[in-house]
Amino acid sequence: MYAFINASSAWLNEHLERFITHHVPSTVFVDSIDDIPQDANHVFQYCDGWELNQNFALLNKRSGLINAYPNSDALARKDHLAAVVDYWTAKRPDSILKDHVPHTIRLTLDYAEYVDESLTAADDLTLLSSLEDNDFREACDREWWILKPALVDCGAGIRLFSTIDELASNLELAEYEDEDEDEETDSDTPVVEKDEDGFSPTLSIPGLDSLDGIITTASSSKPAAPQTRAKKPAYVFKEGGRIPSAQMRAFVAQRYIASICPLENRKWHARAYVLSIGRLKVHVYKEMLLLLAGEDYQPPWENPSLKSSLTNTALQDQDVVESRESMRAFWSIKDDLFPGKTDWKEGIFEQICAISGELFRAAANVMADKFTTLDKCFELFAVDFMVDDRGEVWLLEVNETPAFYQQGIAGPLSLRLMESVVAVAMEHMGVTEGVEAEVRSRMREVLDETGNLAKSNITEIGPEE
């Protein structure tokens, strides 16, 4: 077997090679995919999720695995994720997703001056009705919402609001359009300004935007070259904390969960690692992270600071993450966090497993063009969950190509996670030698759709030219 290892977190490469060698001692590791012989029968690839290019094409005439699906937008894009849940639960009102995903409205926003039209044009008028009702309520009695750009990660562009005016105050003003046209710069590269919390945003780029580069049994014409997971330019955040809504356009507004059970007076969420493999089995890794906000929690009507309400560690300085221990092992948290519930951690994990299995099942069935499951692919996702004061779990978002940190408790957890990922991957390839029961048992299988999904008609993926 030949293996090409080039993880997005480079420090993992040597460990991945060690885990693979444990299962297949004769593995030949190469520094470039060009070094893989044409007659190689088995190829395993673990690559940077943003730099796949021709890596998919290597598997067209070989057996093997690569650590990404051609497209996973149905999960990674927040607006597509909301659509998946809406479509699935519309015909399945008893689905666990119905009561464990905050009410989410898909929005197309541009300028602040036209926010009323955008709210009226939404598929669901719940948000418009809620904001209008809030005008007659005290701030503490309002229904609060959280605005999220569909394609941006790391907490950038997220805002809290409870009225139409508050929503509009966060959007780009049309007057900037004329100003920008008159301005000339000496560089084609945009300068990225930090938002109001001092954070320079990055993008969460989805997988292939279309299936144009995929040959199916129904088409005999030459396909267009597939798009790669290339990074896009960062957005420029305007003065006063306004987000570049006219450039982003795709947003979701999610009902904000204000009633929580804080840990050491701080808001937190659980991050689970979910492994999807082939067409289609899904596993949840038992060890999870617990991520805490940088400031003590107060509801948004008392403290509008996003650092109090958002638990994304990307919004925190590294010294704050370390000094305040913003990243912790989920299972090490004290048992009496929820009064009267000593087994709350087990209950949360069981809910996460059930929600994850149902979510991937829904995506594969209702949006297969944007969740392209192939037998020679697998992908590891970081899935974030909020927990309310009753111990009920709520799905927040799905992150593809998650970063793995070497510092603190995240480093050892990442190594154990990768060891289990390799074990499941080798098992999928038919390699059972060296699979240790303890390593394999860290992954709980929550979904097996292999007998339910129709055979994929995708026969080949064309390389980028």
Side-chain angles (χ1 to χ4, degrees):
M1 183 177 79
Y2 286 82
F4 174 63
I5 308 300
N6 183 32
S8 56
S9 300
W11 70 275
L12 287 174
N13 289 344
E14 62 178 295
H15 301 288
L16 285 166
E17 292 181 0
R18 175 165 54 87
F19 298 146
I20 293 169
T21 303
H22 176 73
H23 296 279
V24 186
S26 60
T27 300
V28 178
F29 294 96
V30 297
D31 295 327
S32 168
I33 58 174
D34 296 331
D35 297 332
I36 298 176
Q38 292 294 324
D39 58 352
N41 293 323
H42 306 284
V43 178
F44 180 86
Q45 300 180 76
Y46 199 102
C47 317
D48 185 339
W50 305 130
E51 300 177 0
L52 293 171
N53 295 343
Q54 300 184 22
N55 300 66
F56 282 108
L58 279 176
L59 298 179
N60 286 336
K61 298 182 178 2
R62 302 177 177 91
S63 66
L65 274 178
I66 186 171
N67 66 309
Y69 290 111
N71 195 330
S72 55
D73 286 4
L75 297 165
R77 278 190 56 151
K78 298 177 183 68
D79 51 348
H80 290 339
L81 177 63
V84 165
V85 173
D86 285 347
Y87 299 158
W88 186 255
T89 56
K91 292 186 176 181
R92 299 167 184 82
D94 295 331
S95 169
I96 191 172
L97 299 180
K98 185 72 173 179
D99 298 318
H100 289 271
V101 179
H103 197 145
T104 305
I105 313 297
R106 302 187 300 279
L107 294 172
T108 301
L109 300 174
D110 42 35
Y111 297 108
E113 290 86 345
Y114 311 123
V115 68
D116 291 299
E117 289 84 347
S118 298
L119 292 172
T120 304
D123 293 336
D124 187 339
L125 296 180
T126 302
L127 176 60
L128 176 61
S129 176
S130 173
L131 298 182
E132 289 177 339
D133 290 344
N134 283 342
D135 280 332
F136 304 97
R137 297 172 178 166
E138 296 293 329
C140 60
D141 297 323
R142 293 174 183 170
E143 186 175 54
W144 282 77
W145 296 81
I146 183 167
L147 181 71
K148 300 179 181 180
L151 289 172
V152 181
D153 66 357
C154 298
I158 292 181
R159 299 291 186 268
L160 297 175
F161 65 99
S162 63
T163 66
I164 295 177
D165 288 341
E166 289 174 359
L167 172 59
S169 69
N170 291 309
L171 304 182
E172 188 173 9
L173 293 171
E175 66 185 54
Y176 281 117
E177 188 73 11
D178 295 332
E179 293 177 5
D180 291 343
E181 290 177 356
D182 295 335
E183 294 177 359
E184 295 183 358
T185 60
D186 296 329
S187 173
D188 293 330
T189 303
V191 177
V192 179
E193 302 176 8
K194 294 185 177 182
D195 67 9
E196 63 182 2
D197 290 302
F199 173 71
S200 297
T202 59
L203 294 181
S204 175
I205 308 304
L208 303 180
D209 292 328
S210 68
L211 300 183
D212 292 341
I214 296 179
I215 304 175
T216 70
T217 55
S219 172
S220 59
S221 60
K222 182 178 179 180
Q227 299 178 31
T228 181
R229 292 185 173 191
K231 293 182 174 69
K232 297 180 181 178
Y235 292 114
V236 178
F237 279 60
K238 304 292 185 179
E239 62 183 56
R242 291 183 181 270
I243 56 182
S245 47
Q247 300 172 50
M248 294 177 172
R249 297 191 66 83
F251 291 82
V252 296
Q254 200 170 67
R255 187 168 280 146
Y256 182 71
I257 300 173
S259 299
I260 62 165
C261 187
L263 174 63
E264 298 174 4
N265 295 322
R266 296 160 69 190
K267 191 174 184 179
W268 57 274
H269 81 264
R271 166 162 289 189
Y273 292 99
V274 180
L275 175 65
S276 176
I277 190 164
R279 186 174 167 83
L280 170 72
K281 290 186 178 181
V282 177
H283 303 77
V284 174
Y285 187 64
K286 187 163 186 180
E287 292 187 61
M288 299 188 295
L289 286 176
L290 189 142
L291 306 178
L292 295 90
E295 296 179 356
D296 288 356
Y297 178 69
Q298 290 178 293
W301 53 89
E302 295 181 7
N303 181 5
S305 170
L306 293 178
K307 292 184 179 180
S308 169
S309 298
L310 299 187
T311 51
N312 195 311
T313 52
L315 294 173
Q316 304 173 34
D317 294 332
Q318 185 60 35
D319 58 342
V320 174
V321 174
E322 295 177 357
S323 63
R324 300 205 67 186
E325 296 182 281
S326 297
M327 190 178 298
R328 307 186 189 185
F330 173 81
W331 293 98
S332 67
I333 304 303
K334 59 184 181 179
D335 293 334
D336 61 350
L337 179 62
F338 287 84
K341 295 183 179 181
T342 57
D343 60 346
W344 63 270
K345 284 176 282 192
E346 288 79 5
I348 287 174
F349 180 69
E350 293 298 330
Q351 291 180 68
I352 286 175
C353 287
I355 295 169
S356 299
E358 183 78 345
L359 175 65
F360 279 72
R361 178 178 171 225
N365 280 277
V366 305
M367 206 174 283
D369 61 323
K370 292 180 176 61
F371 184 36
T372 315
T373 57
L374 301 177
D375 193 55
K376 294 180 180 180
C377 301
F378 72 98
E379 190 157 355
L380 183 64
F381 299 89
V383 187
D384 293 333
F385 298 90
M386 183 61 63
V387 182
D388 66 20
D389 56 356
R390 300 171 299 155
E392 294 294 317
V393 174
W394 298 86
L395 171 69
L396 294 182
E397 62 185 34
V398 178
N399 305 279
E400 59 183 359
T401 314
F404 295 100
Y405 302 100
Q406 194 171 3
Q407 297 80 14
I409 61 105
L413 185 150
S414 298
L415 291 182
R416 293 190 294 271
L417 168 62
M418 288 302 160
E419 187 178 23
S420 296
V421 167
V422 169
V424 175
M426 293 297 107
E427 185 179 86
H428 183 75
M429 293 178 66
V431 178
T432 57
E433 182 180 352
V435 176
E436 300 175 4
E438 189 274 331
V439 174
R440 180 63 180 80
S441 65
R442 298 176 197 153
M443 286 284 187
R444 179 188 289 191
E445 184 176 303
V446 297
L447 178 68
D448 183 355
E449 284 285 279
T450 53
N452 299 323
L453 292 178
K455 183 179 179 180
S456 173
N457 66 345
I458 297 172
T459 61
E460 188 173 312
I461 304 177
E464 183 182 35
E465 298 178 356

